[in-house]
Amino acid sequence: MLKRKDLISLDVMSKNEIDEILELSLKLKKGKAPACKLKDKTLGLLFEKPSNRTKVSFWAGMIQLGGHCIYLSPAEIQLGKREAVKDAAKVLSRYLDVIAARTYSHETLLELAKYSSVPVINALTDLLHPCQALADVFTIFEQKKKFKGVKLVYVGDGNNVLHSLLYAASKVGLDIAYATPKGYEPDKGVVQKALAISKKMGSVVKGYTNPKEAVVDADFIYTDVWASMHQENELAQRKKIFKPYQINSALLKAAKKDTMVLHCLPAKRGLEITDEVMDGKQSLVYDEAENRLHVEKAILYLLIKANKK
Ligand code: CP
Ligand code: NVA
């Protein structure tokens, strides 16, 4: 049973909680969860950064469950500038039933959750993107019907998406490898936690610098942008460093014949992934994006249920 106030990071969640989210997501996707209703509940969407998938999937999902949404754009929210994060958290908790927040700093999200009396969902911070990673492992399970012995390989920047994938994969017992350039590895603390979790699950976490080595026997290859939303000014320099990390036909050939490709999107076509791969038969990127909706509906329902007053 999901028993927590907030969904901030997957490393602190139990395997049972994650399984419950994935199982309900599947029922919702199949249209077989008629009891999931959030009538008269309101979700606040607090976004310091732009979003397409996260904003729209949470919004549409809440409407589909019978609830309502209020969106506060980056220009409006100004957490810590227009008012203290703690004041915003305390006030918004009086109006809303649940908050999904996308912040620059992870600390801002932690503070928001600390002072909010309603559940807070991490809709991406510079450190983590848990809702994305849950949808990703859901997409993998949809294809393989299992996690054990399945290998996911992330190629690119050691960023928020990789951090949450490390947690999600190790929690469900999916093998995960990553190939990142020197100096762009994932956070050491995150890797250590993922390693400890994967040991208990009997799965593998392994880091590489050479993408061709990492993708050997990959069932799934995953990438993300080379410069995240807070790093756009580094793009010119990053383009040079990350060039060998592009997901293209040559890299796909170094994996298996039926290796599938994932990308959290938005993609910079022609940089981290070629058009050929993104539009090719092995690409699952739009299924993956759709699954954000089903998984977030499950998260909303279970969190609101767990925090019923
Ligand atoms: N994948 C993802 O979170 O996309 P958005 O930034 O468009 O929400
Ligand atoms: N790493 C990317 C993910 C976007 C969904 C970013 O933070 O911009």
Side-chain angles (χ1 to χ4, degrees), residues 21 24-43 56-69 97-98 121 292-305:
I21 293 173
L24 181 57
S25 307
L26 189 64
K27 283 190 192 147
L28 286 160
K29 185 164 185 176
K30 288 183 173 166
K32 286 185 181 165
C36 293
K37 288 274 176 267
L38 295 179
K39 194 173 171 288
D40 297 333
K41 301 289 181 198
T42 308
L43 163 68
V56 181
S57 55
F58 265 113
W59 198 326
M62 194 64 187
I63 291 172
Q64 288 171 20
L65 294 172
H68 309 274
C69 267
D97 299 287
V98 56
I121 301 168
R292 296 289 306 274
L293 173 74
H294 310 299
V295 170
E296 283 153 18
K297 282 168 74 175
I299 293 170
L300 286 168
Y301 178 75
L302 293 172
L303 264 191
I304 289 179
K305 194 174 122 197

Side-chain angles (χ1 to χ4, degrees), residues 49 53-54 102 124-126 129 132 154 157 159-161 224-225 227-232 264-266 292:
K49 303 179 192 181
R53 279 140 293 272
T54 311
R102 169 169 288 195
L124 181 147
T125 66
D126 290 357
H129 198 2
Q132 178 68 54
Y154 177 97
D157 186 26
N159 63 14
N160 45 6
V161 168
D224 183 16
V225 289
S228 285
M229 285 184 264
H230 53 297
Q231 299 160 332
E232 278 103 347
C264 56
L265 307 180
R292 296 289 306 274

Side-chain angles (χ1 to χ4, degrees), residues 200-253:
K200 284 190 204 147
M201 291 302 296
S203 60
V204 179
V205 174
K206 201 163 174 194
Y208 295 82
T209 44
N210 183 344
K212 282 215 168 105
E213 262 178 54
V215 300
V216 170
D217 287 336
D219 296 295
F220 296 86
I221 297 181
Y222 194 120
T223 192
D224 183 16
V225 289
W226 291 340
S228 285
M229 285 184 264
H230 53 297
Q231 299 160 332
E232 278 103 347
N233 58 348
E234 296 174 25
L235 185 60
Q237 188 202 351
R238 282 173 173 255
K239 271 186 193 170
K240 293 180 211 147
I241 297 165
F242 283 87
K243 206 164 174 241
Y245 294 79
Q246 184 184 64
I247 308 296
N248 51 35
S249 311
L251 191 67
L252 259 192
K253 279 201 187 100

Side-chain angles (χ1 to χ4, degrees), residues 69-302:
C69 267
I70 295 173
Y71 172 65
L72 289 164
S73 70
E76 285 161 311
I77 187 61
Q78 295 188 48
L79 286 170
K81 291 186 202 107
R82 189 161 180 267
E83 64 185 319
V85 176
K86 104 170 162 185
D87 292 333
K90 288 184 180 190
V91 170
L92 290 170
S93 296
R94 306 270 179 124
Y95 308 138
L96 302 167
D97 299 287
V98 56
I99 294 170
R102 169 169 288 195
T103 59
Y104 279 96
S105 131
H106 192 67
E107 280 62 41
T108 304
L109 187 83
L110 293 177
E111 200 181 345
L112 190 72
K114 181 175 170 191
Y115 290 103
S116 154
S117 60
V118 299
V120 171
I121 301 168
N122 183 350
L124 181 147
T125 66
D126 290 357
L127 185 68
L128 297 169
H129 198 2
C131 299
Q132 178 68 54
L134 286 171
D136 297 335
V137 293
F138 178 82
T139 308
I140 288 172
F141 193 81
E142 207 172 31
Q143 294 296 322
K144 297 285 180 189
K145 313 287 180 240
K146 60 173 187 175
F147 290 121
K148 185 121 194 88
V150 177
K151 182 177 175 185
L152 166 68
V153 181
Y154 177 97
V155 177
D157 186 26
N159 63 14
N160 45 6
V161 168
L162 175 57
H163 291 158
S164 285
L165 278 176
L166 281 163
Y167 287 153
S170 54
K171 280 280 168 185
V172 300
L174 168 72
D175 293 338
I176 181 165
Y178 56 88
T180 51
K182 282 212 169 68
Y184 295 87
E185 295 90 353
D187 178 81
K188 281 200 182 81
V190 171
V191 174
Q192 269 166 11
K193 273 191 213 165
L195 274 166
I197 300 165
S198 69
K199 252 192 198 146
K200 284 190 204 147
M201 291 302 296
S203 60
V204 179
V205 174
K206 201 163 174 194
Y208 295 82
T209 44
N210 183 344
K212 282 215 168 105
E213 262 178 54
V215 300
V216 170
D217 287 336
D219 296 295
F220 296 86
I221 297 181
Y222 194 120
T223 192
D224 183 16
V225 289
W226 291 340
S228 285
M229 285 184 264
H230 53 297
Q231 299 160 332
E232 278 103 347
N233 58 348
E234 296 174 25
L235 185 60
Q237 188 202 351
R238 282 173 173 255
K239 271 186 193 170
K240 293 180 211 147
I241 297 165
F242 283 87
K243 206 164 174 241
Y245 294 79
Q246 184 184 64
I247 308 296
N248 51 35
S249 311
L251 191 67
L252 259 192
K253 279 201 187 100
K256 294 201 223 176
K257 261 203 178 119
D258 60 350
T259 300
M260 287 171 265
V261 175
L262 298 167
H263 190 313
C264 56
L265 307 180
K268 289 267 184 275
R269 286 168 172 263
L271 293 186
E272 76 276 3
I273 189 164
T274 57
D275 282 320
E276 197 184 3
V277 171
M278 179 112 165
D279 300 326
K281 284 205 297 282
Q282 287 158 265
S283 167
L284 286 177
V285 299
Y286 304 116
D287 286 343
E288 183 186 1
E290 178 192 326
N291 288 336
R292 296 289 306 274
L293 173 74
H294 310 299
V295 170
E296 283 153 18
K297 282 168 74 175
I299 293 170
L300 286 168
Y301 178 75
L302 293 172

